[in-house]
Amino acid sequence: MAARILDGNQIREQIKAELAGEIRELKAAGITPGLAAVLVGTNPASQIYVRNKVKTSAALGLFGEKIDLPASTSTGELLDVVDRLNAREEIDGILIQLPLPPQVDSKKVLSAVDPAKDVDGLHPLNVGRLVSGDFRLVPCTPAGVIEILKRSAIPIRGSRAVVIGRSDIVGKPVALLLMHEHSTVTVCHSKTRDLPQVAQEGDILIAAMGRPAFVTGEFIRPGATVIDVGINRLTTEEEVRRVFHDPAGPLRQLAEKGQVLVGDVQPEDVKERAGAYTPVPGGVGPLTIAMLMANTVRAARQRRGMRAPG
Ligand code: NDP
């Protein structure tokens, strides 16, 4: 049987429609949730992400503000910007686009964000709350992974989940969320021995490594649900030929667009082995911004002591 595609774009639209209703109600009560996105430097991928985040906030009726700072910004200057945003009543969410330039102390900056406005869920207080299961503001991409699984009716409770990657932004929080949802979770990383065999134990396999098409058929338990968080850009013919068994289509795409997006999972193998999977693009990616919007609305409520709807 052909593997089911878990369509992130469709799930994003569902979430946005639900949020639009919530935002209308808040606005009727005189509250417009506000998001400030801070971009330091000119990293092209970060510029696109921030632009899309601000554009989506505006489309949903939120107040969105983009703050551009030069690549030479110091830790102290960025801390001043964060302080000012913390103090502004109309700002409910503060997003510091990562990665920050090397001279900036990222941990110090993320820890300076008011935890009540920390829509990326990276402040140590919110990380601690995530560990203890007291969910307030949960990191967006991991929250998106859980939304995909739940809204696609993939059973999590009692499942075996294998997460490949242990970053603070994706691997660790996704593993914690799955554990809180009563999955039995194994977290793998670059020092894990016998990775394909360990990965094969997963009814749910999450790949969050940043290694193009690293997860091949031998990692995938037949019928497993495979969630591919990776976003990698292939820009040479050689890379495309190395990744795809049948490179004709991707090579055409490379010629037309100058790049081919691929996840951490081999896209042809996953179709054959998995029961369900997220494609790249169009899987986890679309959920990240949707969950950022959801966190901004949630922060707006929580800061005013309002309960979540429903
Ligand atoms: P990091 O580089 O911070 O972490 C990568 C993790 O993968 C590390 O824990 C590393 O292990 C592990 N890893 C790397 N190589 C191997 C290997 N050969 N075998 C086993 N484990 C390995 O990346 P992020 O977590 O920030 O991002 C992961 C991917 O997800 C990237 O492609 C990124 O672009 C994408 N991403 C996508 C988002 C979306 O919206 N869809 C949002 C955020 C990220 P170790 O700890 O031992 O070094």
Side-chain angles (χ1 to χ4, degrees):
M1 214 170 70
R4 176 154 73 112
I5 297 175
L6 307 176
D7 182 344
N9 289 316
Q10 204 184 331
I11 296 171
R12 172 191 59 192
E13 291 312 309
Q14 275 173 19
I15 293 173
K16 276 167 65 176
E18 291 163 15
L19 281 176
E22 271 190 63
I23 293 164
R24 267 196 305 276
E25 277 173 31
L26 283 170
K27 284 185 141 179
I31 301 162
T32 301
L35 174 70
V38 181
L39 175 64
V40 185
T42 54
N43 177 324
S46 295
Q47 281 177 325
I48 297 173
Y49 292 145
V50 169
R51 202 180 316 134
N52 287 339
K53 287 167 184 175
V54 175
K55 211 168 83 185
T56 310
S57 351
L60 274 173
L62 305 182
F63 169 67
E65 184 171 307
K66 180 166 171 274
I67 296 164
D68 279 299
L69 299 173
S72 58
T73 303
S74 68
T75 303
E77 286 163 340
L78 193 46
L79 288 173
D80 286 344
V81 171
V82 170
D83 276 349
R84 284 199 291 277
L85 291 172
N86 283 342
R88 279 173 58 189
E89 195 42 45
E90 76 279 19
I91 298 295
D92 295 292
I94 301 171
L95 168 120
I96 312 289
Q97 184 64 42
L98 300 175
L100 290 168
Q103 78 278 8
V104 175
D105 183 340
S106 301
K107 283 208 161 142
K108 204 166 181 182
V109 172
L110 295 177
S111 303
V113 172
D114 178 348
K117 299 187 177 188
D118 169 39
V119 281
D120 257 344
L122 298 175
H123 187 285
L125 185 64
N126 287 320
V127 174
R129 285 171 172 156
L130 176 60
V131 171
S132 68
D134 168 20
F135 304 133
R136 307 268 177 103
L137 296 168
V138 173
C140 300
T141 303
V145 168
I146 300 296
E147 286 294 327
I148 292 181
L149 293 171
K150 285 190 172 171
R151 288 174 189 255
S152 308
I154 305 289
I156 307 179
R157 192 187 186 93
S159 68
R160 288 290 305 269
V162 176
V163 180
I164 314 183
R166 57 174 165 181
S167 72
D168 292 346
I169 297 174
V170 187
K172 277 181 207 158
V174 94
L176 284 164
L177 288 171
L178 287 164
M179 190 172 70
H180 287 305
E181 294 289 341
H182 310 292
S183 181
T184 302
V185 185
T186 303
V187 182
C188 304
H189 45 75
S190 64
K191 308 294 180 291
T192 300
R193 261 189 282 131
D194 305 325
L195 185 59
Q197 286 87 326
V198 179
Q200 270 229 25
E201 289 170 11
D203 305 309
I204 298 172
L205 176 62
I206 315 266
M209 334 159 60
R211 299 272 179 272
F214 188 95
V215 174
T216 50
E218 61 172 345
F219 288 66
I220 302 169
R221 181 193 200 110
T225 298
V226 180
I227 305 289
D228 190 352
V229 182
I231 303 176
N232 308 290
R233 290 176 170 79
L234 308 181
T235 54
T236 67
E237 226 184 282
E238 192 198 340
E239 284 174 323
V240 170
R241 286 188 192 281
R242 202 181 320 127
V243 163
F244 290 91
H245 308 316
D246 178 5
L251 282 173
R252 267 197 307 279
Q253 202 185 326
L254 179 69
E256 282 163 21
K257 298 189 174 165
Q259 65 170 21
V260 175
L261 278 191
V262 67
D264 290 346
V265 180
Q266 209 293 333
E268 292 149 311
D269 291 2
V270 74
K271 281 185 202 163
E272 281 177 20
R273 296 271 288 192
Y277 70 97
T278 57
V280 176
V284 175
L287 268 294
T288 298
I289 294 187
M291 299 319 291
L292 176 68
M293 301 299 122
N295 272 352
T296 304
V297 172
R298 181 181 263 212
R301 281 183 191 286
Q302 287 175 351
R303 289 182 60 233
R304 292 167 180 83
M306 297 163 74
R307 291 164 63 97

